Amino acid sequence: MNKKVVLAGGTGFIGSYFHHQFQNQGYEVKVISRKPNHISWSDRKAIIEALDGAELLINLAGKSVNCRYNEKNRNEIMNSRTSTTTILGESILACSEPPELWLNSSTATIYRHAEDRPMTEEQGEIGTGFSVDVAKAWEESFFSFQLPKTRQAALRIAIVLGKDGGVMTPYQNLVRFGLGGVQGSGRQKFSWIHVKDLFRIIMFLKERKDLSGVFNCSAPQPVSNSELMNCLRRIMKMPVGLPAPKWMLEIGSIVIRTETELVLKSRWVLPERLQREGFRFTYNKIDDCLTHILKK
Ligand SMILES: NC(=O)c1ccc[n+]([C@@H]2O[C@H](COP(=O)([O-])OP(=O)(O)OC[C@H]3O[C@@H](n4cnc5c(N)ncnc54)[C@H](OP(=O)(O)O)[C@@H]3O)[C@@H](O)[C@H]2O)c1
């Protein structure tokens, strides 16, 4: 019988990459989505059938946080994460042969704004505010399930860098139009991970049956916003880059319907647990990561 993986929220930036990788490795891939031609969130029977006999379930579902945090969007950002997680947990409980492993996406944003020291799984401090509340509720709904046959891990994912999507397009556009200077003070940390390493973490956790709980998924060498923008300008051969001070970002973010928190929060996160357990990153340095992604 074919190996099977279920990707919930598998049509987006990370999910599409994973889909392709799993297919290359001979997996049958089942996708749960709001879009047609996939398993629908409202079809509980089909979800249970997909999960039955699957090797693993990866949940990536969630409304994009790249929007204004008005009440409607806040509710959708929260519910699209907690309710999908609950549906999946309940469906696993109804399986006769549940998946061995359930990986649920979480976010490195769960930690506080940190300019003083890095946040690890053990020594990190959880922050405050809307995005942190979402992350906490997401992990709470995930770990509220006690699943006798299914190992669970929550992935606190840093900003994912890859060729087709995510934050690369907006950053590249800023640089191209000469606006790729620092954002805000430029001192805020940018924790990142190459999408390829994120997939390698999934495969690592699949093999390591002794591991469960919370994992920071971020490259071991975070950079400052200023280092990030410098590196982008160098690789894209753009000598000038106008800075965007905080007040300008506040205005701009209203115009383009987003929140400044996405670029101004200092996310300083280290993958302490993964490294201690022997995971080795392919992309440790932002230069290598961006050179690979921006290569034609
Ligand atoms: N990319 C990053 O840098 C990053 C960093 C940390 C954490 N994460 C988390 O990782 C997950 C995947 O990220 P991504 O970059 O691949 O995001 P994405 O491209 O926006 O994809 C998100 C997926 O969630 C589903 N979705 C959107 N709104 C939904 C709703 N209201 N109800 C149910 N499903 C909904 C979409 O599926 P359908 O439209 O097919 O239903 C889509 O496939 C997200 O939960 C995100 O918060 C991402």
Side-chain angles (χ1 to χ4, degrees), residues 160-218:
V160 182
L161 302 177
K163 268 190 199 298
D164 304 306
V167 298
M168 282 313 295
T169 312
Y171 275 123
Q172 275 173 269
N173 284 338
L174 278 179
V175 172
R176 203 167 282 138
F177 295 119
L179 300 170
V182 294
Q183 281 106 42
S185 73
R187 284 192 303 275
Q188 71 275 27
K189 289 280 188 191
F190 179 82
S191 284
W192 57 276
I193 183 167
H194 193 299
V195 67
K196 183 174 169 185
D197 275 329
L198 188 60
F199 185 74
R200 291 180 58 248
I201 290 172
I202 303 277
M203 299 317 262
F204 177 81
L205 290 175
K206 186 170 83 66
E207 294 310 314
R208 286 290 302 273
K209 300 191 189 311
D210 56 321
L211 298 180
S212 61
V214 161
F215 291 89
N216 289 349
C217 300
S218 61

Side-chain angles (χ1 to χ4, degrees), residues 9 11-14 33-35 60 62 76 81 105 157-158 160:
T11 63
F13 164 53
I14 300 173
S33 159
R34 296 164 306 162
K35 298 194 176 85
L60 299 160
E76 201 182 330
R81 288 174 171 76
S105 162
I157 305 172
V160 182

